[in-house]
Amino acid sequence: GRAIDDSSVDVVNLQHEFGLYGVHRDGTYHDHATALLGELHKPVITTLHTVLPKPEPWMRDTLRRVAEQSTVVVVMAETAARLLRDVYGIAKPPVVIPHGMPAIAPQGRHRLKRQLGVEGRTIISTFGLVDPRKGLEYMIDAMPSVVARYPNTLYLIVGQTHPELLKQEGERYRNQLAAEIDRLSLGEHVRFVNQYLTQREIVDYLLATDVYVTPYLDLNQITSGTLAYALGAGKAIVSTRYLHAAEALDDGRGLLVDPRDAAALSRRTARPRAHPGSHPRRGGTRAREGRSRATDRSPHRLSLGHRLEQNPLITARDVQPSQPELEVVSVFNAATAQVDGQTVLLLRVAERPRSDIDPPPGAKTLDLNGPHPVLRPLPRGYRKDDLIGMCFLDASADPPKVVVAYIPRDLPGLDLSDPRSIRYRNSTGIMGVLNNGFTDYLAQMSHLRVARSDDGIDFIVEPRPALMPDVDMEEYGVEDPRATFIDGRWHVTYVSVSRWGITTSLATTTDFREFDRRGIIYLPDHKDVVIFPEKINGQYVALTRPMPQSFSRIFGIWIAFSDDLIKWGGHETVCLPRWERWDELRTGGSAVPIRTKEGWLELYHGVNRHHRYAMGALLLDADDPRKILARSPEPILEPETAYERMGLFNDTIFSCGVVPLDPERVRMYYGAADSVIAAADFSLSEILASMEEGHNA
């Protein structure tokens, strides 16, 4: 550092990667970058190459120190900038400079195919160091279907084996790939180019390529140089939804698939669309410009929603916590209404104990070893990074109050793999008999909050909750409201959560200022209750989603009927999951059904085997809504943008309501990644035209 300070250098550029500027020793990461930066007095521009969405504490603390000691921080994706702000707590905005690429003139494909000895072949290629994280076996497994349609196709795997992998296990992975190629009789259709390539050679192979594929398995990958090169060459691109690809390809410049999905890779590579032009070879800062109504939808998807350019509309930063010892984690899944000329959202606000401070004196923990959790004093010596906080309603207090407790992260039997929950397993005694010893608690506690807007875009969030947990059946919070206007009042269904299960409750209001709580209307476990806006054949009708715990545990949309909106019966299945479709794992009602000339149009959510939540449509008979007339074969809106793909629960679009814009269009408000509120506009006629007729369409 002193030598650099004494030199004629004007500015220092630090290319930061953890493996280059630190070592792990004895279970501790020893950071060298901050020691170097501490010696420098010249301006420092630091480029961060790794920004993980769920960092270990040592990784988060290291990047904080690096940012503090740098004059300017540079990242290569908008997603990385958001992570530094929301996950790492770095307030100073970085400069976003997208990954650079060489100047490539997108021409000479046939000439270069002749030079490379692949003339007359349709070339699919993947570049880069070969290792299991690339998911190459899934593209190989996709090739028989591609070759069946296009017999002249050749898949090139270009690059050497990763040197670290080579040291540890030699060519084991490449040999496994070769064995799979032999098993599938693909020797004429898959070829390795096992050599180091210069930049010029990489460009030549790219220009000879028809379809570029990155089937990577790590969805947290924030940059890919080869993807940037392929964009620069104007190639058709098929990629898994890792963070860099989701951001770089979100405006129609490529096709996205789930990881480990060979069938999707085969479908996409068989019919890609190349972007008509390439990107500049140098990056530049990217910022929102203007306040236009909505962005154009990507041409490569069925996705019919026009996302608002201002998305996300409401974030956790826009919401005050309900009490000082809590922090707002996310705001999402809002009921919608139009009242007195304003758009009203009834937001779900998730809170947890503050994570930025050490536990206060007298802090409590929970003894989780009995059938009911018991508060006990937290032993001394715990710091904030050693604990996970949780809160719940003590309904036995008068009045009921929210209690804060802290659980040691190293508690044996604790499972924190799902950021939404705290799972504890006690396999001893009576607890080992019940549910195999597993008990689940929520890592956040939710309440409902009102936000109002004159234009449906800029919202003012009210400072205090509208509906807080109030009874023992709501001890873990209230969630996911839907609002239906019937007989001059808004009827709000919402989910009540407690250790006794998930139930649905009802409240009514005329102005979203005062609420009349009507209590529980369904037994556990029941959620996603959406009431139709008018009686049908003299009865109120609702879509529901029971959650059976026996036999196949199929979670799908049911229908029920009522004379008074309190007691419900006549339950029947309506819209169940469809295997190998976008809604194969579960389905649930979302928006209040819309009456159209063709029937009742319901926008519902579906979940696939990768736990990705997307939105589709259902058309029900106007006089007998038990009958399905048509259904979406593909999602009408699925996670594509960074704010939809990354958050409290990744790859999630979940709506609880729409508002009409005019007789033909609606605006759907939705929770994105269980973290923020966003919106997209839809044409009703486009949705109806996109659907397939029939119950199992």
Side-chain angles (χ1 to χ4, degrees), residues 339-360:
V339 180
D340 297 330
Q342 290 186 311
T343 299
V344 176
L345 301 183
L346 186 59
L347 312 166
R348 174 181 170 185
V349 177
E351 297 177 298
R352 68 184 177 195
R354 288 178 59 179
S355 59
D356 61 335
I357 59 174
D358 291 326

Side-chain angles (χ1 to χ4, degrees), residues 368-526:
L368 302 177
N369 287 315
H372 304 290
V374 177
L375 282 169
R376 305 210 185 276
L378 178 70
R380 294 182 179 180
Y382 282 105
R383 305 294 299 273
K384 60 180 184 294
D385 291 335
D386 305 324
L387 302 164
I388 182 167
M390 65 176 292
C391 49
F392 59 92
L393 181 75
D394 181 2
S396 65
D398 187 17
K401 65 178 181 179
V402 174
V403 175
V404 172
Y406 300 89
I407 312 298
R409 289 181 177 271
D410 59 359
L411 180 69
L414 201 64
D415 180 358
L416 303 177
S417 58
D418 187 335
R420 302 171 299 176
S421 67
I422 298 171
R423 166 166 279 199
Y424 178 68
R425 186 179 191 188
N426 179 3
S427 57
T428 63
I430 186 63
M431 294 304 295
V433 178
L434 301 173
N435 196 27
N436 294 319
F438 287 107
T439 306
D440 291 308
Y441 306 90
L442 289 186
Q444 298 86 30
M445 182 178 184
S446 295
H447 66 266
L448 306 183
R449 188 85 64 97
V450 170
R452 301 176 191 270
S453 172
D454 291 328
D455 62 3
I457 296 175
D458 295 307
F459 284 87
I460 297 175
V461 181
E462 295 185 354
R464 307 309 305 164
L467 288 171
M468 280 288 290
D470 187 56
V471 295
D472 57 357
M473 295 298 288
E474 298 171 350
E475 67 173 346
Y476 294 162
V478 294
E479 306 176 351
D480 298 355
R482 279 90 167 171
T484 304
F485 192 69
I486 305 175
D487 300 330
R489 296 183 68 82
W490 292 95
H491 292 70
V492 179
T493 58
Y494 61 91
V495 179
S496 299
V497 187
S498 73
R499 78 188 84 168
W500 294 281
I502 298 169
T503 67
T504 295
S505 298
L506 178 68
T508 61
T509 183
T510 58
D511 55 9
F512 288 85
R513 290 184 170 86
E514 300 291 334
F515 292 84
D516 179 16
R517 300 175 86 134
R518 307 292 299 277
I520 292 169
I521 59 174
Y522 283 93
L523 291 174
D525 280 324
H526 227 104

Side-chain angles (χ1 to χ4, degrees), residues 246-254 275 279 296-300 640:
E247 181 173 313
L249 306 179
D250 71 352
D251 64 351
R253 289 175 286 187
H275 188 256
H279 293 276
D296 291 336
R297 66 179 184 271
S298 300
H300 66 278
E640 295 176 358

Side-chain angles (χ1 to χ4, degrees), residues 129-248:
L129 295 174
V130 172
D131 71 51
R133 295 172 297 177
K134 296 294 178 67
L136 300 171
E137 61 269 33
Y138 295 97
M139 188 59 225
I140 291 171
D141 289 345
M143 284 300 295
S145 296
V146 176
V147 171
R149 296 184 63 185
Y150 302 100
N152 70 338
T153 303
L154 174 65
Y155 178 36
L156 297 179
I157 300 173
V158 183
Q160 293 177 310
T161 301
H162 195 291
E164 290 300 318
L165 185 67
L166 203 57
K167 289 179 185 177
Q168 295 171 14
E169 54 183 63
E171 291 287 10
R172 177 180 168 186
Y173 178 59
R174 189 184 292 271
N175 292 338
Q176 290 174 344
L177 298 179
E180 182 70 358
I181 293 168
D182 290 341
R183 185 184 72 82
L184 297 173
S185 301
L186 290 173
E188 295 298 316
H189 299 283
V190 182
R191 183 184 302 173
F192 291 108
V193 182
N194 187 5
Q195 64 188 62
Y196 172 80
L197 299 182
T198 65
Q199 186 184 84
R200 182 66 260 170
E201 289 170 329
I202 290 173
V203 170
D204 286 348
Y205 270 102
L206 267 175
L207 290 176
T209 292
D210 296 284
V211 183
Y212 185 73
V213 180
T214 54
Y216 300 168
L217 304 183
D218 183 6
L219 294 183
N220 293 325
Q221 183 166 335
I222 202 72
T223 58
S224 168
T226 60
L227 180 69
Y229 277 36
L231 284 167
K235 295 289 107 176
I237 298 174
V238 177
S239 176
T240 53
R241 304 170 185 277
Y242 59 92
L243 294 176
H244 184 195
E247 181 173 313

